Amino acid sequence: MSAQEKRSLLNLVFSILFTVVYGIIVYIKYNNGDFDTSNEMRLWSVIILIFIPISIAARIVATIMFSIINSIANEIKGKDDEDLDFYDERDKLIELKSTRVALVVFSLGFILALSTQAFGMSVAAFFLTMLGFGLLSEVIASIYIIIIYRKGA
Amino acid sequence: MEKFIINNNVRMMRFHNGEMTQKDLADAVGVSRQTIVAIEKGKYSPSLELCFKLSIVFNKSIDEIFSIEYKK
């Protein structure tokens, strides 16, 4: 498996794992009554505003740890060290294509999220749709990248 | 304009440059080995900048490395 495929796989696993763990923590806290539920809009905004910086920080830590583990594994196997942060023109092109795919999926999610409000559904439905499609767009983009690298295109 | 495909002689050029490995060529032009593999398979058309880098490494003109073939 190439460094690029490993990077995409790490991104895929991390996105799913982190969102699920964060979702479980929020769900437990919600059930314990740790949140002020009088203003649902404010509650969901706070949940998402906390999610964004924690997600970025956790992603940086995960990438650093994975790079260290990958270097150690390559050292043990006696392989040439592959730089996970190395980007060339083809990587940038593939990333651009995957970003386009992610954007289409997320835009679809945004339209669906707006539809939930148009049909009078709860604020929770709006934010859950947004979060769900945010995760889905990342998953699809990562899978798309892995498929392109596997095909060798 | 007629449709065409871009062919290349990168594999042959490597052979004529002392059996240069894909990794050596990748390091020389500043891309990953996977990019060289994709170019050799004809699945990726490199940028003009990369074409020039390849021509410098092989000491050949771009049209000696890359050629077009019209589709019938």
Side-chain angles (χ1 to χ4, degrees):
Chain A
M1 189 178 266
S2 69
Q4 293 91 336
E5 287 170 76
K6 283 179 191 169
R7 196 171 53 212
S8 299
L9 197 63
L10 169 73
N11 195 37
L12 175 67
V13 172
F14 177 84
S15 302
I16 295 170
L17 214 64
F18 186 78
T19 310
V20 168
V21 169
Y22 187 79
I24 290 169
I25 292 168
V26 168
Y27 183 74
I28 291 168
K29 278 183 172 272
Y30 185 84
N31 278 346
N32 289 344
D34 293 343
F35 294 125
D36 173 22
T37 52
S38 58
N39 188 343
E40 211 181 353
M41 189 75 179
R42 185 180 170 276
L43 170 69
W44 276 99
S45 302
V46 169
I47 288 170
I48 289 179
L49 279 175
I50 292 170
F51 176 76
I52 294 166
I54 291 177
S55 167
I56 293 167
R59 193 178 292 262
I60 291 167
V61 171
T63 307
I64 292 168
M65 283 179 70
F66 186 77
S67 294
I68 294 167
I69 293 165
N70 188 55
S71 298
I72 294 168
N74 281 338
E75 196 72 36
I76 292 166
K77 286 178 189 170
K79 273 187 184 175
D80 274 350
D81 196 18
E82 285 180 302
D83 188 2
L84 286 169
D85 297 322
F86 182 79
Y87 271 91
D88 65 15
E89 57 175 51
R90 182 167 152 267
D91 298 324
K92 284 174 192 160
L93 185 72
I94 291 172
E95 196 172 275
L96 268 176
K97 284 180 181 175
S98 75
T99 305
R100 189 179 59 188
V101 171
L103 201 66
V104 168
V105 175
F106 189 74
S107 301
L108 190 72
F110 184 66
I111 292 166
L112 273 173
L114 286 177
S115 305
T116 61
Q117 297 308 291
F119 290 109
M121 292 167 85
S122 67
V123 175
F126 173 80
F127 281 103
L128 281 172
T129 309
M130 290 279 281
L131 272 178
F133 271 84
L135 174 64
L136 189 68
S137 66
E138 277 208 49
V139 168
I140 290 175
S142 296
I143 292 171
Y144 177 82
I145 289 175
I146 293 169
I147 289 170
I148 294 230
Y149 279 121
R150 283 270 138 181
K151 276 167 69 181
Chain B
M1 185 180 263
E2 275 184 78
K3 285 187 176 178
F4 59 82
I5 52 168
I6 300 171
N7 294 322
N8 70 78
N9 299 316
V10 174
R11 172 72 192 92
M12 198 180 74
M13 296 280 175
R14 280 199 298 113
F15 180 78
H16 289 304
N17 271 268
E19 273 293 335
M20 191 183 222
T21 65
Q22 289 174 332
K23 180 87 175 86
D24 290 339
L25 179 59
D27 290 342
V29 295
V31 296
S32 65
R33 194 182 65 81
Q34 281 70 31
T35 300
I36 300 298
V37 173
I39 292 170
E40 285 187 6
K41 282 183 180 173
K43 290 188 170 178
Y44 173 66
S45 297
S47 68
L48 191 56
E49 188 185 339
L50 183 51
C51 291
F52 273 111
K53 283 179 181 173
L54 289 168
S55 81
I56 291 165
V57 169
F58 293 136
N59 200 22
K60 299 276 181 191
S61 62
I62 291 176
D63 62 351
E64 283 178 280
I65 305 171
F66 295 95
S67 58
I68 56 168
E69 185 188 324
Y70 286 101
K71 283 183 180 175
K72 287 170 188 171

